[in-house]
Amino acid sequence: QVQLQESGPGLVKPSQTLSLTCTVSGGSISSGSYYWSWIRQPAGKGLEWIGRIYTSGSTNYNPSLKSRVTISVDTSKNQFSLKLSSVTAADTAVYYCARAPAAVAGDHPMDYWGQGTLVTVSS
Amino acid sequence: SYELTQPPSVSVSPGQTARITCSGDALPKQYAYWYQQKPGQAPVLVIYKDSERPSGIPERFSGSSSGTTVTLTISGVQAEDEADYYCQSADSSGTIEVFGGGTKLTVL
């Protein structure tokens, strides 16, 4: 059973860089064909897709965040990470990591999710 | 930027059928997915590839697609189905994923 767990600072100062890690257990992050994604949800609001990294290392980002986002993978630790620079209060949200199978072209449901971690941007 | 449009809320009585729609220009060429989210919990996939149901999801959950609209149908709604429901799909290029704004299902 695949499990994902987010970790990182719960409080980040404005203008700094938010850094989160998602640890994958129950399977190798480098085996198979998967997208590893980040999604966020401000309190009381909807889900926003941030971006994803493919098993090969290629990335796709939400155009509205692309200039500030970097997603990377560390296969030796079975982890993938999110960095969001120049944060403001608007970036305060619960951040989720998720897995999506990519073996079938065009069919990428997010079938496993982490429990989410709250990140607050405040001085 | 690409958008998926859902009604903010749907209300039904127990045992009735709830239908939640999601509209988007690229839906005729991209699969849609539906997620259920209860308060304080991570989303759970309930429908994939427009109409397929993952193992463990009750049969009362079904999905359909017609043109630029996909629909999540919950037949015989139960109190435990009260939750927020989100559709998700990709833009026409297939490289950008988008979520709908979410629909709050209230079981009266």
Side-chain angles (χ1 to χ4, degrees), chain B residues 10-65:
Chain B
V10 168
S11 299
V12 296
S13 297
Q16 291 190 328
T17 296
R19 293 181 179 84
I20 300 172
T21 58
C22 173
S23 299
D25 290 341
L27 288 176
K29 60 177 293 188
Q30 300 291 354
Y31 288 124
Y33 311 97
W34 289 96
Y35 302 87
Q36 176 194 68
Q37 186 181 35
K38 296 182 178 179
Q41 298 182 20
V44 172
L45 179 70
V46 296
I47 294 290
Y48 68 98
K49 217 158 70 171
D50 292 346
S51 60
E52 300 293 320
R53 195 173 53 250
S55 61
I57 300 302
E59 291 184 7
R60 63 180 181 273
F61 289 86
S62 63
S64 61
S65 176

Side-chain angles (χ1 to χ4, degrees), chain A residues 41 52 61 106-108 110, chain B residues 33 35 37 86 94 96-97:
Chain A
Q41 184 173 38
R52 67 189 182 190
Y61 298 130
D107 184 24
H108 315 305
M110 296 180 202
Chain B
Y33 311 97
Y35 302 87
Q37 186 181 35
Y86 294 90
I96 306 300
E97 302 287 352

Side-chain angles (χ1 to χ4, degrees), chain A residues 37-41 47-51 94-98 110 113, chain B residues 99:
Chain A
S37 296
W38 287 97
I39 303 98
R40 70 180 182 179
Q41 184 173 38
L47 300 169
E48 180 181 32
W49 181 75
I50 298 170
V94 173
Y95 284 76
Y96 295 99
C97 57
M110 296 180 202
W113 293 65
Chain B
F99 286 96

Side-chain angles (χ1 to χ4, degrees), chain A residues 26-74:
Chain A
S28 171
I29 199 170
S30 58
S31 67
S33 181
Y34 296 103
Y35 285 117
W36 304 95
S37 296
W38 287 97
I39 303 98
R40 70 180 182 179
Q41 184 173 38
K45 296 187 178 181
L47 300 169
E48 180 181 32
W49 181 75
I50 298 170
R52 67 189 182 190
I53 187 165
Y54 185 53
T55 306
S56 67
S58 64
T59 54
N60 300 116
Y61 298 130
N62 185 326
S64 68
L65 299 169
K66 187 174 183 177
S67 63
R68 299 194 290 131
V69 173
T70 302
I71 296 175
S72 59
V73 64
D74 186 339

